[in-house]
Amino acid sequence: MYLWLIVFLLAFSSKGSTAVNQHPLPTVFESVSDDWDLNKPFTANTTVNFVFATASSLLQAAPNLRYRNGHTIVPGIVRPGTLLYHGREDSIIPTTEWVAFDPEISYGLCRVFGSLEGSCWHLTFAAARPLRVLYFDGASVTQLGGGEMDSQDIITWGEIRPDLVIEEGLRIQKLCEWGKPLGLDGFVRMGTISEMMLCNFSSVNLVSSQHLKSAPSKIFQSSPPPPTAPIKPEPINSESFILLRALDRFSQYPGVMHVQLDLSHLVSFYDEKLAPSLVAVRSDKPRLEHCLLGITEEDLMRVRKYLEEQVLETPWPSLESGGNHLDWPTHLHSIVELYGETLEDIWNLVNSTASLAARPATQRVKDVFQLVESLVQRFVLYNVSPPSGFDKNETDVTWASSIFRECTVSHYLVISTLSLTTSEQLLRDAVEGTTREICRVLTKMWAYGVHDGLSEIFHDRVAEHPHEDLKKADALLYTWKVELGNLMKWLDWGVWLRCRPACKEQEQCYIPAWPFAVGNVSGMVWREDNPQPRCLKKLEPFTYADDEQ
Ligand SMILES: *[C@@H]1O[C@H](CO)[C@@H](O)[C@H](O)[C@H]1NC(C)=O
Ligand SMILES: *[C@@H]1O[C@H](CO)[C@@H](O)[C@H](O)[C@H]1NC(C)=O
Ligand SMILES: *[C@@H]1O[C@H](CO)[C@@H](O)[C@H](O)[C@H]1NC(C)=O
Ligand SMILES: *[C@@H]1O[C@H](CO)[C@@H](O)[C@H](O)[C@H]1NC(C)=O
Ligand SMILES: *[C@@H]1O[C@H](CO)[C@@H](O)[C@H](O)[C@H]1NC(C)=O
């Protein structure tokens, strides 16, 4: 009752006052640009989309398998009590070794090491205290020398050395030596599998040590190819199929939850101030080919120095208790959640597949408009309306620019009131640049629909029979498709990396990546040029669902 009264009074009083000050903004708000021209894309010469896409995909397998060359290094913490697993041929507790967050992975390795004996040891540990770690994004476990380990190399060897990709023992030793004065306990890498390099096992407690019977493993039997005697990749078998099923739980947000990252001290190679030499290295290259090879010595030293500062500045104890910074993973994900699925729905309507195309264009136009309006209607201020005679120039959308502005500011406002670290300023710019472009395109798409009389908000202007004209509907659908297609290509979010259509029962969606080889009998490969999610069928021999037809 009271609520309704208040709402009524508020509505009444805002009508009574002047319409000038409807959107008071705190004076701290300073946009990177105060230009709200709906026809000006924010897409040229910027890495904000890459920073956003990578920072919102950390610790999630799918996006990091597709864009395997990592560009981000982030400090993080593994909480006390977190279980860590290790498989080997004896019961000795090592000093420095890789441990897994998932027993499926360590058991697989246990079987590899126990192949000859028919038995192996599976050790379980628990973190004895908060472990300070550094996480490398991308498919950073991949031992192929194709760019996946470049960000590790910069610390390990002080330069990028694809030829040293299999020197895992030396790599661990070097990384730990570097990390010791910085207080680091380990390094986290991901790919299809995730693992942590633990520098000193005295930081964990042994929980159990099991001597297990084991059949020889078929999964990890192929070690990486040494330059002299190449080992051929093996096709996926039933054992790997089951492992892939288990690991699917890390494919999308939140991903591997055993590590809490501190994004306020993140280091990104997409930061153009930090690594300006990479701008030229990337120029005109598709995202899949972005890599760190080609970075100048000067930039490399700057990144290392910045990284060391970030690690030292990371507020470890407060990170452990929740941190005193913005919860960036949640903030970034909330934006992905807000738009990701709806943009995909709209895309499916405008880029119609056979079944949807059966729906007449006049109906699809209404369906699309409703979805677009659902994303922008919160930003249509009371004093906004298309100018009379607007229908004389359908492409003039200047009247809607305040909607573009309100929409962008809504994502930015909370961040602009905080005091931010240098890394957070990079994230803030990524959030602003990314949402600005989303808001621009959505507002523009919406305005075109308003011109065509599709909006209930301007009920005095709703056309009586909007889009009974099939030709006009097709034209609008096409315009929308171009605008949205460019936007989604630019955003390139990890949340869209799924099998479409979804896999059937007894099938598994996965992105082909080392150590799971793909191909056919005559040509198995560990590294595909353009890895895409696909359905794998559980049949002997294994086939891809789309190979069947
Ligand atoms: C983008 O950068 C390139 C090279 O630095 C430059 O030639 C080009 O004019 C820039 N484009 C825009 C739109 O700023
Ligand atoms: C591991 O940590 C223990 C306890 O802090 C220390 O005594 C030992 O020297 C460390 N080992 C190595 C290899 O750093
Ligand atoms: C758009 O539709 C075409 C034809 O229906 C299809 O081949 C294409 O994969 C679709 N594009 C996307 C990005 O879904
Ligand atoms: C319609 O508006 C667009 C965008 O503002 C402008 O470029 C164009 O010249 C206008 N056309 C006419 C006929 O006024
Ligand atoms: C098997 O893979 C090779 C290399 O990728 C390819 O050239 C060949 O066409 C494939 N054969 C079949 C039957 O798919």
Side-chain angles (χ1 to χ4, degrees):
M1 278 285 268
Y2 271 123
L3 189 64
W4 279 112
L5 185 61
I6 289 163
V7 168
F8 177 75
L9 285 175
L10 280 176
F12 192 77
S13 67
S14 89
K15 268 188 188 178
S17 73
T18 138
V20 174
N21 264 336
Q22 283 197 349
H23 44 91
L25 293 171
T27 47
V28 287
F29 173 73
E30 256 179 59
S31 168
V32 287
S33 157
D34 207 26
D35 185 353
W36 304 102
D37 183 346
L38 282 158
N39 289 313
K40 251 191 218 159
F42 190 69
T43 53
N45 286 1
T46 175
T47 55
V48 292
N49 54 328
F50 300 130
V51 174
F52 187 95
T54 48
S56 61
S57 298
L58 301 172
L59 295 169
Q60 300 153 50
N64 286 291
L65 289 176
R66 169 134 180 96
Y67 297 108
R68 50 210 167 188
N69 299 344
H71 280 71
T72 320
I73 307 177
V74 200
I77 219 156
V78 173
R79 286 175 188 273
T82 302
L83 293 180
L84 303 162
Y85 306 93
H86 183 64
R88 55 192 293 118
E89 76 268 21
D90 55 36
S91 61
I92 295 169
I93 296 175
T95 313
T96 304
E97 258 290 4
W98 294 100
V99 290
F101 295 111
D102 316 292
E104 292 98 332
I105 292 165
S106 49
Y107 179 66
L109 283 162
C110 186
R111 281 174 66 172
V112 173
F113 293 123
S115 287
L116 295 176
E117 312 291 328
S119 79
C120 66
W121 291 84
H122 194 240
L123 313 182
T124 304
F125 300 92
R129 53 176 174 77
L131 304 180
R132 301 168 176 196
V133 300
L134 209 54
Y135 161 69
F136 299 99
D137 81 341
S140 47
V141 288
T142 309
Q143 297 173 20
L144 294 178
E148 294 93 338
M149 285 198 182
D150 289 0
S151 61
Q152 288 165 69
D153 281 7
I154 283 175
I155 303 171
T156 316
W157 320 117
E159 58 182 328
I160 294 168
R161 293 289 299 271
D163 56 316
L164 297 181
V165 74
I166 58 168
E167 296 291 341
E168 286 284 80
L170 200 53
R171 179 184 299 275
I172 290 178
Q173 200 189 314
K174 291 261 197 187
L175 280 173
C176 286
E177 269 169 27
W178 172 81
K180 201 166 183 179
L182 302 173
L184 288 171
D185 297 302
F187 298 85
V188 174
R189 309 191 297 186
M190 268 184 85
T192 318
I193 57 178
S194 50
E195 57 183 18
M196 169 163 71
M197 190 211 77
L198 194 56
C199 291
N200 189 337
F201 273 63
S202 72
S203 60
V204 297
N205 295 325
L206 183 68
V207 174
S208 78
S209 171
Q210 297 164 306
H211 191 199
L212 302 176
K213 253 192 214 321
S214 80
S217 169
K218 292 189 198 125
I219 301 181
F220 302 110
Q221 63 192 3
S222 320
S223 43
T228 46
I231 294 174
K232 276 199 167 5
E234 295 286 335
I236 290 171
N237 53 43
S238 56
E239 195 186 336
S240 13
F241 183 88
I242 288 165
L243 184 59
L244 280 169
R245 288 214 95 142
L247 298 180
D248 191 52
R249 62 183 184 267
F250 306 116
S251 161
Q252 289 284 348
Y253 183 89
V256 173
M257 291 173 73
H258 309 78
V259 186
Q260 267 95 55
L261 296 179
D262 173 20
L263 272 64
S264 62
H265 293 88
L266 154 155
V267 175
S268 174
F269 287 92
Y270 282 123
D271 183 340
E272 289 168 303
K273 285 194 203 108
L274 196 59
S277 61
L278 289 176
V279 175
V281 171
R282 283 189 297 261
S283 86
D284 295 331
K285 285 212 182 103
R287 185 172 164 202
L288 209 50
E289 288 167 31
H290 290 180
C291 64
L292 311 186
L293 195 61
I295 190 171
T296 58
E297 178 73 20
E298 191 191 348
D299 283 9
L300 195 148
M301 298 309 289
R302 188 183 307 110
V303 171
R304 270 181 73 122
K305 184 165 168 282
Y306 182 67
L307 180 60
E308 284 164 8
E309 283 165 15
Q310 295 313 300
V311 172
L312 287 173
E313 281 174 17
T314 290
W316 303 99
S318 63
L319 173 61
E320 191 195 343
S321 62
N324 55 10
H325 285 272
L326 180 67
D327 180 354
W328 283 99
T330 304
H331 189 74
L332 297 173
H333 184 68
S334 69
I335 294 167
V336 171
E337 251 188 346
L338 181 59
Y339 294 109
E341 209 176 308
T342 311
L343 291 185
E344 208 174 16
D345 285 347
I346 298 172
W347 176 255
N348 287 336
L349 283 163
V350 294
N351 183 50
S352 218
T353 52
S355 61
L356 282 168
R359 221 164 145 70
T362 48
Q363 189 55 52
R364 275 195 286 139
V365 156
K366 290 179 202 160
D367 294 345
V368 171
F369 186 80
Q370 272 182 1
L371 289 175
V372 173
E373 188 158 82
S374 76
L375 294 175
V376 301
Q377 61 196 5
R378 290 185 290 127
F379 309 110
V380 183
L381 300 178
Y382 183 70
N383 60 356
V384 166
S385 66
S388 52
F390 66 93
D391 45 357
K392 292 204 182 79
N393 187 349
E394 298 242 326
T395 56
D396 189 353
V397 288
T398 336
W399 61 270
S401 67
S402 73
I403 298 161
F404 171 23
R405 181 173 189 273
E406 292 294 320
C407 172
T408 307
V409 168
S410 74
H411 297 292
Y412 186 78
L413 214 47
V414 65
I415 310 175
S416 69
T417 61
L418 307 170
S419 87
L420 302 176
T421 64
T422 313
S423 300
E424 287 180 305
Q425 288 165 24
L426 181 77
L427 294 172
R428 173 201 61 195
D429 292 350
V431 166
E432 202 214 345
T434 300
T435 54
R436 160 182 275 270
E437 187 61 5
I438 295 173
C439 291
R440 186 187 70 82
V441 172
L442 286 173
T443 304
K444 201 173 163 190
M445 289 172 71
W446 174 80
Y448 284 152
V450 173
H451 289 179
D452 279 8
L454 288 162
S455 179
E456 295 284 338
I457 294 179
F458 303 106
H459 41 83
D460 49 330
R461 296 179 193 266
V462 170
E464 223 154 78
H465 302 288
H467 281 289
E468 294 312 315
D469 182 347
L470 205 62
K471 236 181 178 170
K472 221 173 152 194
D474 270 334
L476 187 53
L477 282 172
Y478 180 76
T479 308
W480 280 340
K481 178 175 165 170
V482 172
E483 293 280 345
L484 185 64
N486 288 338
L487 173 67
M488 289 177 75
K489 206 172 139 209
W490 184 76
L491 294 173
D492 198 5
W493 282 352
V495 71
W496 298 321
L497 285 166
R498 293 193 319 268
C499 286
R500 269 171 302 185
C503 303
K504 301 190 192 76
E505 251 179 74
Q506 294 304 312
E507 289 181 0
Q508 180 55 44
C509 181
Y510 91 119
I511 295 180
W514 182 91
F516 302 99
V518 291
N520 54 38
V521 182
S522 53
M524 299 298 300
V525 288
W526 268 315
R527 199 173 203 273
E528 282 208 328
D529 290 343
N530 183 20
Q532 293 281 5
R534 61 169 85 177
C535 296
L536 189 68
K537 249 183 187 317
K538 190 179 187 302
L539 283 177
E540 298 279 5
F542 279 76
T543 52
Y544 301 114
D546 53 5
D547 288 350
E548 269 214 327
Q549 295 90 26

